[in-house]
Amino acid sequence: MANNNVPLKQMPEWKALEAHYNKISKTHLRELFTTDPKRAESMTVDELGIYFDYSKHRATQETIGLLVGLAEASDLREKIEGMFTGEKINVTEGRAVLHTALRAPKSATIVLDGENVVPHVHAVLEKMERFASRVRSGQWTGHTGKAIKNIVNIGIGGSDLGPVMAYEALKNYSQRGLTFRFVSNVDGTDFAEAVIDLEPEETLFIVASKTFTTQETMTNANTARDWALKALKDPAAIARHFVAVSTNAEAVSKFGIDTANMFGFWDWVGGRYSMCSAIGLSTMIAIGPENFRAMLGGFHQMDEHFRTAPFERNLPALMGLLGLWYNNFFGAQTIAVLPYEQYLKRFPAYLQQLTMESNGKRVTLDGTAVDYQTGAVYWGEPGTNGQHSFYQLIHQGTKLIPCDFIAFSKPAHKLGRHHNLLMANVFAQAEALAFGKTAEELKQEGVKDWLIPHKTFEGNRPSTTMLMDELTPAALGKLVALYEHSVFAQGAVWRVGPFDQWGVELGKVLAGRIAPELESKTDPELKHDVSTNALIRRYRKNK
Ligand code: G6Q
């Protein structure tokens, strides 16, 4: 059992890592590979179709052992059980955290407040399937009897990023006759551009909002209703062109959406953990119920792996702990996520919310300010584009940026040499980052002395390479769940609560205060700081 009375940095396991860091922090990856020729085997985990190569990390077996020791002493195992069994681990909101129940098989039993939630999950999934099938087959028609051709998801944050990412990732599995658009920003341009070429008669809006009160989403939903009614005239048309995904039936019906066309979920599903819930309705319409089930299957496999595999071979635990190793001991501020798969172009953006909203916390669960770093900044772009842009800084800059390379053996599109070249690049980048290029090597190549410092690559830049077979719905599920649980593993050690987001809530309140001041017909009395007052006045004058 962990002793939470002992501050994290005073724990013997933390101190052991500090001492170990002092011992190996200067060791070059070249040396680690020379002294341990079996590294590629011993520091690779091949599980669930993911070849997870972490050998190019500035770590040894001893490091992993010490990190696992820290996880154990932090009660990671017990905390995982707590999450899976519906303990109210989201303490500041008094909620359980059960996104894993969203992908549990029908036969599973997960009891919350005396009730098995699994039948509820499957009832919604079945309702989604019936609806998705009707839209896909053209049976669900719009108000004028025309089949739906366009689906516009209106939502923001957790009600947008998952659906966008999954649609883009699985586009190759989508019904190509349907057009999908995603509107999130309160900037009117987002809505205007999304519908610019769409026919209202053939367009279905999914208003996705857990609370059904979010300013951006409700503004866009109201604009969508006006846009649809302008063409369709009859308010009865709303029932054919709008469905809702929400936990708030009252607000949904107030908006004018028939609650028969509402797909529910529960307060134990956090926004950024909701892509397997009804929030995934657009994904299901795009790829079909069968593929959606396959994606859930992938998620579930990773859930079970996280719950049962020993930490030394546990993918999310390893990913989370290695991230923590750089964050807390090497002082690294960021992690770059670099998918060598164009379909994953929105994956880094999705991960930004997942990781940064979850672990971007400065106090522990009991409200004590931390005296160590928590969540890292996640960012990235698909390969090879990043190579011609920011990789320079990763290779030769002054900052340490651990990288996650994600690649697939089989291409989505077999086109000449493309895939071989793509894969050559991802392997080459990880190799170059780790081993660099020495002055000696440059000299032997005949590089002039004065150019040598510029052309020298220090190397010793760490990375994980995740090699999977093919980007299928199941593979996507595994990948997302891998990151979800790595965030959990880190949060458990840092003692923070990854499932609330008070920083987001503040923004919602503040904008609500200023909007009436911008819209007021008479000069409002402004009580902000002088800078904000001046900005508001200037905007009022010039708008
Ligand atoms: C996610 C956050 C946040 C949320 C949005 C949208 O974990 O809670 O990003 O998803 O603010 O909220 P609604 O779904 O309630 O509109």
Side-chain angles (χ1 to χ4, degrees):
M1 273 302 274
N3 186 349
N4 274 335
N5 295 326
V6 179
L8 179 58
K9 287 167 75 177
Q10 302 305 321
M11 284 169 75
E13 293 78 8
W14 186 278
K15 290 196 169 298
L17 275 160
E18 263 170 359
H20 177 67
Y21 168 78
N22 290 332
K23 218 172 67 195
I24 77 151
S25 65
K26 301 275 183 301
T27 311
H28 200 286
L29 274 164
R30 281 194 287 261
E31 192 186 326
L32 293 177
F33 271 78
T34 314
T35 49
D36 179 8
K38 291 233 159 75
R39 229 178 128 80
E41 285 157 56
S42 60
M43 297 186 86
T44 295
V45 177
D46 194 356
E47 287 280 350
L48 312 185
I50 305 178
Y51 182 84
F52 185 92
D53 176 358
Y54 63 99
S55 63
K56 294 191 184 80
H57 277 290
R58 290 165 72 172
T60 61
Q61 301 286 2
E62 191 188 350
T63 322
I64 301 301
L66 291 170
L67 286 166
V68 165
L70 178 66
E72 275 161 358
S74 301
D75 283 349
L76 177 58
R77 183 65 67 202
E78 291 79 356
K79 287 176 182 169
I80 294 173
E81 260 329 275
M83 172 169 72
F84 276 80
T85 54
E87 261 176 45
K88 303 215 164 148
I89 58 169
N90 176 357
V91 291
T92 64
E93 296 181 309
R95 290 175 183 167
V97 175
L98 275 176
H99 46 278
T100 50
L102 299 169
R103 49 257 193 162
K106 213 169 176 173
S107 54
T109 303
I110 300 168
V111 178
L112 178 64
D113 297 330
E115 202 182 356
N116 182 9
V117 300
V118 178
H120 297 290
V121 167
H122 282 267
V124 174
L125 275 173
E126 282 155 23
K127 184 173 173 181
M128 287 165 66
E129 288 180 353
R130 286 192 295 274
F131 180 73
S133 300
R134 289 179 71 192
V135 174
R136 286 166 63 83
S137 67
Q139 263 178 291
W140 178 278
T141 51
H143 187 59
T144 60
K146 286 197 174 173
I148 294 298
K149 281 199 188 145
N150 317 308
I151 289 94
V152 181
N153 188 79
I154 299 180
I156 195 163
S159 301
D160 168 70
L161 286 160
V164 181
M165 182 279 289
Y167 171 67
E168 290 295 342
L170 301 175
K171 208 183 223 168
N172 206 25
Y173 291 81
S174 73
Q175 188 163 317
R176 298 287 186 164
L178 296 172
T179 296
F180 288 82
R181 301 274 160 82
F182 298 85
V183 178
S184 54
N185 200 336
V186 76
D187 183 337
T189 299
D190 206 11
F191 181 81
E193 282 294 337
V195 299
I196 205 158
D197 54 351
L198 305 185
E199 282 295 332
E201 279 180 289
E202 299 171 338
T203 302
L204 174 79
F205 290 96
I206 301 174
V207 185
S209 175
K210 182 173 163 181
T211 55
F212 228 73
T213 56
T214 304
Q215 187 195 53
E216 291 91 334
T217 302
M218 296 330 295
T219 306
N220 279 317
N222 282 313
T223 303
R225 187 172 49 191
D226 295 347
W227 178 84
L229 284 179
K230 197 170 163 210
L232 301 167
K233 315 281 189 243
D234 184 357
I238 297 301
R240 307 296 304 170
H241 293 270
F242 282 78
V243 297
V245 177
S246 188
T247 55
N248 186 349
E250 204 186 317
V252 167
S253 121
K254 215 164 148 199
F255 181 87
I257 297 176
D258 186 348
T259 45
N261 299 331
M262 168 178 151
F263 301 86
F265 59 118
W266 308 272
D267 74 354
W268 41 262
V269 183
R272 55 195 172 276
Y273 295 88
S274 67
M275 62 175 276
C276 297
S277 74
I279 289 290
L281 183 62
S282 59
T283 316
M284 192 193 271
I285 298 174
I287 64 173
E290 212 173 297
N291 282 322
F292 194 85
R293 291 268 184 189
M295 182 183 81
L296 297 185
F299 270 97
H300 179 66
Q301 272 186 281
M302 187 57 76
D303 293 343
E304 287 301 295
H305 169 80
F306 183 49
R307 193 175 181 176
T308 56
F311 293 146
E312 291 82 0
R313 301 196 57 75
N314 188 311
L315 299 176
L318 284 171
M319 178 185 262
L321 291 169
L322 283 164
L324 184 141
W325 174 231
Y326 294 109
N327 189 63
N328 294 95
F329 297 92
F330 285 81
Q333 298 269 354
T334 83
I335 291 184
V337 181
L338 308 163
Y340 277 64
E341 167 54 70
Q342 185 65 18
Y343 283 123
L344 288 180
K345 66 180 183 193
R346 296 287 292 170
F347 193 58
Y350 172 79
L351 285 187
Q352 281 183 330
Q353 183 191 24
L354 176 68
T355 57
M356 291 158 75
E357 206 168 76
S358 295
N359 281 337
K361 307 288 162 65
R362 56 170 287 281
V363 296
T364 60
L365 278 171
D366 64 9
T368 314
V370 298
D371 59 354
Y372 44 86
Q373 289 290 314
T374 61
V377 175
Y378 279 72
W379 59 286
E381 280 289 325
T384 55
N385 300 4
Q387 289 174 216
H388 298 264
S389 152
F390 54 78
Y391 276 43
Q392 165 63 36
L393 185 147
I394 308 181
H395 279 290
Q396 288 188 305
T398 53
K399 295 183 170 54
L400 179 69
I401 302 179
C403 298
D404 283 356
F405 290 107
I406 302 169
F408 299 86
S409 299
K410 295 195 177 68
H413 302 281
K414 281 201 181 111
L415 286 174
R417 296 181 69 208
H418 283 262
H419 202 62
N420 286 339
L421 295 178
L422 180 72
M423 297 303 284
N425 272 283
V426 65
F427 297 148
Q429 287 299 324
E431 187 179 26
L433 285 170
F435 304 108
K437 189 151 201 176
T438 61
E440 208 45 52
E441 285 164 339
L442 290 162
K443 218 176 246 167
Q444 272 168 23
E445 286 174 17
V447 174
K448 293 199 176 71
D449 278 357
W450 68 272
L451 253 181
I452 285 182
H454 299 280
K455 291 194 147 190
T456 301
F457 286 70
E458 199 186 10
N460 217 14
R461 267 77 168 155
S463 68
T464 304
T465 301
M466 286 165 263
L467 184 59
M468 299 176 81
D469 199 35
E470 199 178 353
L471 179 54
T472 59
L476 181 71
K478 290 175 199 172
L479 206 52
V480 174
L482 167 58
Y483 278 93
E484 280 180 351
H485 295 318
S486 77
V487 165
F488 183 87
Q490 293 183 335
V493 176
W494 289 326
R495 306 175 183 185
V496 299
F499 300 108
D500 59 16
Q501 56 284 311
W502 297 104
V504 182
E505 313 301 333
L506 175 69
K508 291 187 180 182
V509 174
L510 291 184
R513 241 175 74 197
I514 294 182
E517 294 170 348
L518 302 182
E519 289 167 341
S520 153
K521 295 265 177 287
T522 54
D523 241 358
E525 191 194 342
L526 299 177
K527 291 186 177 156
H528 306 275
D529 59 275
V530 285
S531 156
T532 309
N533 287 346
L535 287 165
I536 292 173
R537 284 198 195 99
R538 188 168 173 98
Y539 173 73
R540 281 182 57 88
K541 196 168 126 224
N542 293 345
K543 75 182 186 145

